[in-house]
Every structure is written in C-alpha cells, then in structure tokens.
Amino acid sequence: MRILVIGSGGREHALIWKLKQSPKVDTIYCAPGNAGIAADAKCVAIEVDELEKLADFAQANQIDLTVVGPEAPLCDGIVDQFRTRKLAIFGPAKVAAQLEGSKDFAKEFMLKYHIPTAKSATFKNEKDASEYVKNEFLLGVKGIVIKADGLAAGKGVLVADGEAEALAFLHDCFDGAFGAAGAKVLVEECLYGEEASILALCDGKTIVPLVSSQDHKRVGDNDTGLNTGGMGAYSPAPVVDQQVWQKINERILQPFLHGVRAEKLDFRGVIFVGIMICDTEPKVLEFNVRFGDPEIQPVLRRFDGDLCDVLSKVAQGNLSEAKLIWSDDPAVSVVIASGGYPGKYQKGFEIKGLADAAATGAVVFHAGTALKDGKIVNSGGRVLGVSARGKNIAEAIAKAYEAVDKISFEGGFCRRDIGAKALKYNK
Ligand code: AMP
Ligand code: GLY
C-alpha cells in the first residue's frame, strides 16, 4: 500500500514509524514532515492547510490510505474533499470534527447523550459572561475555566484561580485575541482530580479504545509553570484502573458511539477524550478528533499489531474486524523543547547526540526539527520525543532519560519527572 501521512510533529513521526513496520506498506509519503520523518518517509512540500493540493497529490500518486495528524485540516473538511474523490482517508468528516472545532457543539453533544462533563454556560458577549463569572465567585467557587469556542492552537483555555484573571481573559476573548474562535465563549465549572487521555478508534459502528495514557501539560517539574502542547507522556495511566475503565466505557465511550449513530455523523477516525478523574468518577474535559501528541508516542510503543491494517479498516468502516495487539510493558516519551518554550524561542541550533540516543534502544521521534547545511537543527517549540518501553514503568523512565541525556542543543530542556506520577501506584 501507498500511504500519505499529513502533519509534521512527533505524532506523525510515531505513526510513520509504526506504519513502516507493516508488511502491507510499500511507500509512505509525509506532507510536509520534518528532518527526522525524512529518514522514514518521502517528505512532500505541501502544507497541511492546502487541502486541494493534498487531494491532487493523493490522486496523482495513487495513495491507498491518507492518515490526517492535526485537527485543523479535519475541521476544514479534508475528509469530505477526499471522499468526494473516492480517496480513502482516516479521520472524521467536517461536521463530526466540530466535536473538537467547537467546544459549544461538543458540550451540546455531551448533554444530549448524557456524557458526564463539567457544568458550563455559553456566551456571545462579554457583559453576560462577566456577570455569570462574578456570580459564580459570589457563590463560592475556588476557580473557573474560560474556553474560547473555536480552535486556538491550544491557547484558548484558561483555568483561572481568581475572578480578576477570569474577567481579563474573557475580555481578551471578546476583544479578538483568538479571532472568530473567541466570538463565543464557554464558562465552565472547574474540575479537580487527575487527568488521563483515552484514545478510541471509531468507525461509526464500533468503538475500540487504545491503551490509556497521561500527558504532562505544564512546562515545569511537578506540574508548575505555563501550559504547553505536552511535555511528555506515559502509558498506561494507572489512575485508570479496571473500575474506572468500566465507567469510561459505559458512561462515555458507549454513549459517544450512540450519539455518533443517532446524529448520523461520518466518524471514521480516532476520538481523543480528555478526562478528569474526580474521586474515581470520570468526567470529560474535552474531545479531540485526532491522536494526542505526545500521548500517541508511548501508546504506539506498546502497540504490537499491524497499524496499517487497523487504520485502513477504520477508514473502510470495518473496525470490528481489526486486531489490536498490546504489550503489557509500559512506555514513556520525554519531550525535549527549545529554550523559552512555550514562549518565544530561538531556532537553528544543531542537535547533537541523536545517534548515541538511538544506540541505547530508545526511539527518538522528531517534532520541530529541520535540516540546515546538512545538520539537524531545532525548528519548533517541541523538538523531540524520546521514547522507551520497559518491563515496568521505572525501567521505561530510566531508559528514556538515559537516551535524553545523550542529546543536547543550545537552550534545549526537558522535564525530569515524566512518568513519576505513575511510580506511586507501583509501591
Ligand atoms: P481543553 O482544551 O478543553 O482540553 O483544556 C485544556 C486543559 O485545560 C485540559 O487538559 C485541562 O488541564 C484544563 N481544563 C479544561 N477544562 C477544565 C475543567 N473544567 N476543569 C479543570 N481543568 C480544565
Ligand atoms: N497532548 C495534548 C494534545 O494532543 O492535545
């Protein structure tokens, strides 16, 4: 088979690394890819928002399956375009992608299908939203969450501890800080507990969860500092024990599938459910309609099946025939970021030690890397995802950091506590 993967991050590199192991796969293209992906796939200079060009490429190159990484092209309707041309593609159609593209749409869906989630209200003007926020604090809440309705590259959510902070963010939203994405705003009850990420394949008829994982969203050790796209992840997330899994399946995944069928949504892709586990009660924080990054990195390190076969079956609507094979061994992925991330950072520094890191047995996924004068340099905020699998979580963590410590570039840094939360469950 000839495969096209769309995107340029660690997620896409991990997908390509696993797809390449499938005996079914002949050639993999990636648009646009990065310096590390270029070693595993043929990179094509088409950006993820050039939908027409991507479809032309798939048609001209007889691509048998296209796998979409990021949310933006899904929300822009890439799946609809490809299907009109009878091109096989993994991902939800535009209407279904609103589950990520509009937080209001997602909330309505959750309410309609009785999926547990935080209480919230939606506003189209600052005055009403501000009054609601003030009233919530009068009623004694300790915090509140403000969410721009649309896609805002991960910056449209604020978990506010105080009223002033919440009101200032509301003002920014309605003042155009997120463009059209902030014209509607959700004000949400703040949930407290431990977060986990559940990714589940869905073809509209069947839903099959992948193994659980947990991200580390804050930039600093012990979950301090600013929010990021994710500084590292591990799988499984021990907070999701058998009892919690059962609740997630019965109260979230099955109602989700029921809703997809009832609304006749064309959903042949992956649903990524961000969950807060509040005293063993799982509640949905958000839906995403793509694989989580970095979550998919440790998840795929544990996947021992044929990814090409599985994703093809999802795209065809035959998920019930797919075989998912998992290792019990935990896996960890540690992100190395550019100095200054998630704020401003400098690019173009040579990355040293990549071969030494790979020699330890770890797999290094590239995110923000580029080739400059024959050298691999940093070119984005999150630069690499260094992943390892072990007999237990402690071994996986040790192996990942052994490889991390071989790698260096000016300003590059990582969190030193990826996976530490899982250790406490193993005592
Ligand atoms: P979202 O884009 O909705 O996932 O929000 C990004 C992050 O904000 C989540 O991963 C959580 O860490 C946090 N968050 C979102 N909603 C809530 C909530 N209702 N209560 C507490 N934290 C939240
Ligand atoms: N790691 C969180 C995300 O992919 O949105």
Side-chain angles (χ1 to χ4, degrees):
M1 286 176 67
R2 298 160 67 78
I3 313 283
L4 170 64
V5 174
I6 296 174
S8 62
R11 165 181 48 212
E12 289 75 21
H13 196 182
L15 288 166
I16 288 165
W17 169 79
K18 186 46 83 177
L19 283 166
K20 213 179 138 180
Q21 294 169 23
S22 164
K24 287 196 165 66
V25 172
D26 179 30
T27 313
I28 307 181
Y29 294 94
C30 184
N34 60 40
I37 289 175
D40 292 319
K42 293 183 183 172
C43 290
V44 185
I46 307 177
E47 294 302 321
V48 302
D49 59 356
E50 298 180 296
L51 306 192
E52 195 86 35
K53 278 195 191 170
L54 289 165
D56 289 345
F57 178 87
Q59 216 155 22
N61 291 277
Q62 288 135 31
I63 299 296
D64 299 297
L65 176 68
T66 296
V67 180
V68 187
E71 63 277 15
L74 293 167
C75 293
D76 287 343
I78 189 168
V79 167
D80 311 63
Q81 280 218 18
F82 270 58
R83 297 229 169 103
T84 308
R85 299 201 201 184
K86 305 230 175 324
L87 292 163
I89 185 163
F90 174 91
K94 186 172 181 169
V95 172
Q98 286 179 91
L99 287 164
E100 175 164 2
S102 164
K103 293 188 189 290
D104 188 43
F105 180 93
K107 202 54 119 179
E108 291 289 321
F109 182 90
M110 286 187 254
L111 291 178
K112 189 163 176 189
Y113 296 100
H114 310 291
I115 296 172
T117 183
K119 183 188 85 173
S120 91
T122 301
F123 297 95
K124 286 184 180 161
N125 70 73
E126 187 179 345
K127 187 170 158 285
D128 292 346
S130 302
E131 262 164 35
Y132 181 88
V133 165
K134 285 181 198 160
N135 199 47
E136 286 293 298
F137 278 99
L138 275 178
L139 291 172
V141 299
K142 288 198 284 303
I144 204 144
V145 184
I146 313 284
K147 299 184 172 183
D149 177 59
L151 293 183
K155 295 196 167 63
V157 175
L158 177 77
V159 180
D161 297 326
E163 188 182 301
E165 202 188 348
L167 294 179
F169 191 74
L170 270 181
H171 179 76
D172 289 349
C173 289
F174 287 112
D175 200 36
F178 308 111
K184 241 199 254 177
V185 173
L186 277 74
V187 180
E188 198 168 285
E189 164 200 10
C190 192
L191 298 176
Y192 300 92
E194 193 165 336
E195 275 185 60
S197 300
I198 302 297
L199 307 170
L201 299 172
C202 178
D203 67 352
K205 296 177 267 181
T206 308
I207 190 159
V208 179
L210 310 185
V211 289
S212 66
S213 58
Q214 194 174 77
D215 188 9
H216 298 62
K217 289 207 158 72
R218 303 296 191 102
V219 71
D221 284 8
N222 301 314
D223 297 329
T224 53
L226 294 173
N227 257 319
T228 69
M231 292 299 292
Y234 58 88
S235 170
V239 63
V240 184
D241 59 19
Q242 224 176 347
Q243 189 199 6
V244 173
W245 253 124
Q246 198 180 339
K247 289 181 188 171
I248 290 173
N249 185 45
E250 284 171 8
R251 301 182 193 167
I252 299 172
L253 299 182
Q254 296 308 325
F256 174 85
L257 179 63
H258 175 70
V260 164
R261 289 172 134 172
E263 301 291 321
K264 298 195 168 48
L265 297 177
D266 181 359
F267 200 110
R268 286 177 259 166
V270 61
I271 182 77
F272 158 5
V273 195
I275 288 175
M276 186 75 89
I277 295 142
C278 318
D279 290 330
T280 79
E281 295 303 306
K283 292 188 181 177
V284 176
L285 293 172
E286 61 164 341
F287 285 133
N288 296 302
V289 297
R290 52 171 174 84
F291 292 108
D293 194 11
E295 287 95 325
I296 193 60
Q297 301 179 26
V299 166
L300 284 182
R301 289 302 311 267
R302 299 184 59 208
F303 181 71
D304 289 334
D306 182 335
L307 187 63
C308 176
D309 184 62
V310 171
L311 300 187
S312 300
K313 291 207 160 101
V314 175
Q316 289 157 6
N318 295 326
L319 171 57
S320 64
E321 293 168 15
K323 278 199 196 71
L324 279 86
I325 304 166
W326 298 103
S327 161
D328 285 335
D329 292 353
V332 172
S333 184
V334 178
V335 168
I336 306 183
S338 296
Y341 175 78
K344 283 206 175 97
Y345 51 84
Q346 278 187 293
K347 306 178 194 179
F349 299 118
E350 182 182 356
I351 302 169
K352 296 190 181 129
L354 287 168
D356 292 341
T360 68
V363 180
V364 181
F365 298 120
H366 287 231
T369 69
L371 210 58
K372 190 173 121 190
D373 305 328
K375 289 179 178 139
I376 293 182
V377 301
N378 70 317
S379 65
R382 292 190 290 171
V383 180
L384 301 164
V386 181
S387 69
R389 186 161 127 172
K391 285 196 290 293
N392 52 49
I393 187 76
E395 187 182 287
I397 293 170
K399 282 177 158 181
Y401 279 105
E402 183 195 350
V404 163
D405 289 335
K406 308 275 183 205
I407 298 172
S408 65
F409 59 94
E410 202 173 313
F413 75 98
C414 67
R415 271 180 66 160
R416 300 299 314 187
D417 64 344
I418 302 303
K421 251 186 230 164
L423 283 173
K424 69 175 189 244
Y425 289 87
N426 282 4
K427 276 182 188 154

